Amino acid sequence: MIVSFILLTTVIGIVGFGVALSVRGKRDFAKQNEVVPGKKSPAPASWAGAHSPEAKLHRRLGDAVRAANGNPELMELGLAIQTKQIEAEALAIDERLVAAAGLPTSHRAGAVAEFIPQVAALEDAVAALIKSTTVNDSKRLLEQAVSDADIKLQALAEARAEIEAVDRSANGTLPEAVPETIPEPSPEPSPDVEQGKATG
């Protein structure tokens, strides 16, 4: 009876340990698949270890964000805004990449390939920011490195806005109405001018 109880307890312990390991493993795997820590990615879990082009691009986005977030000097130099921009662009690229990967096979490769320069531009922006932390003894070099990163991030944001505008047009969504400009009233004629008219 005692032996059976010990065996049962051992089996329950082993099963419980296995379940705990499995749950922790799934949680770690899900975290590894996130592009921005703490924000769930729409990418399938298999992309965390897959070798498809879209999965590799997805992981490169996550690596770029982690490189920026893992550099505390960026915060010390007051570059938190740029770091947030990197996160926002990475999430936007990832979302569109997942959508492209869901296209039919005949269109998928070309659609996914279009994201290669965008991912590379994001990586370049991160590299420019990290470079700025190594040259912060020179204000001029620091400003140049940050400017380079800002230009790359601005170009990414503008490219994304253009793509979204094309998508809206293709889906029949009208662009936002441009407010009609009201002409400014012409200036009141001065009393001298009025007087000149009267005497003329």
Side-chain angles (χ1 to χ4, degrees):
M1 190 73 173
I2 294 175
V3 174
S4 298
F5 176 75
I6 292 172
L7 282 172
L8 182 61
T9 305
T10 304
V11 168
I12 290 172
I14 292 171
V15 170
F17 182 70
V19 169
L21 276 179
S22 175
V23 169
R24 183 177 176 182
K26 284 181 181 177
R27 189 169 60 241
D28 291 345
F29 198 69
K31 280 186 179 179
Q32 188 182 3
N33 204 34
E34 292 173 348
V35 166
V36 174
K39 295 192 177 177
K40 186 173 172 59
S41 168
S46 60
W47 281 17
H51 298 289
S52 62
E54 55 268 28
K56 288 178 181 178
L57 288 170
H58 166 75
R59 290 198 297 273
R60 282 171 62 184
L61 289 170
D63 290 342
V65 171
R66 281 188 287 276
N69 287 338
N71 194 317
E73 289 186 42
L74 293 181
M75 301 300 173
E76 292 171 16
L77 291 170
L79 303 179
I81 292 174
Q82 285 84 356
T83 303
K84 289 297 178 189
Q85 282 180 303
I86 286 167
E87 290 184 353
E89 287 304 323
L91 286 171
I93 294 170
D94 188 52
E95 186 176 330
R96 298 184 67 84
L97 178 63
V98 171
L103 291 173
T105 309
S106 57
H107 297 281
R108 186 182 309 151
V112 169
E114 290 179 10
F115 291 92
I116 295 173
Q118 294 180 40
V119 173
L122 189 74
E123 291 170 331
D124 289 346
V126 172
L129 282 180
I130 291 175
K131 177 185 171 187
S132 73
T133 67
T134 64
V135 296
N136 60 16
D137 55 324
S138 165
K139 186 179 178 184
R140 184 182 61 79
L141 290 174
L142 171 61
E143 287 173 351
Q144 182 60 51
V146 173
S147 174
D148 289 347
D150 283 340
I151 289 168
K152 291 178 190 305
L153 287 169
Q154 181 64 30
L156 267 174
E158 287 173 0
R160 179 163 53 87
E162 285 180 17
I163 292 169
E164 288 172 355
V166 170
D167 284 352
R168 282 196 301 271
S169 176
N171 293 332
T173 306
L174 294 174
E176 292 181 13
V178 178
E180 186 179 346
T181 54
I182 301 170
E184 292 183 10
S186 55
E188 292 286 332
S190 66
D192 293 339
V193 173
E194 289 292 333
Q195 189 176 0
K197 283 182 181 177
T199 57

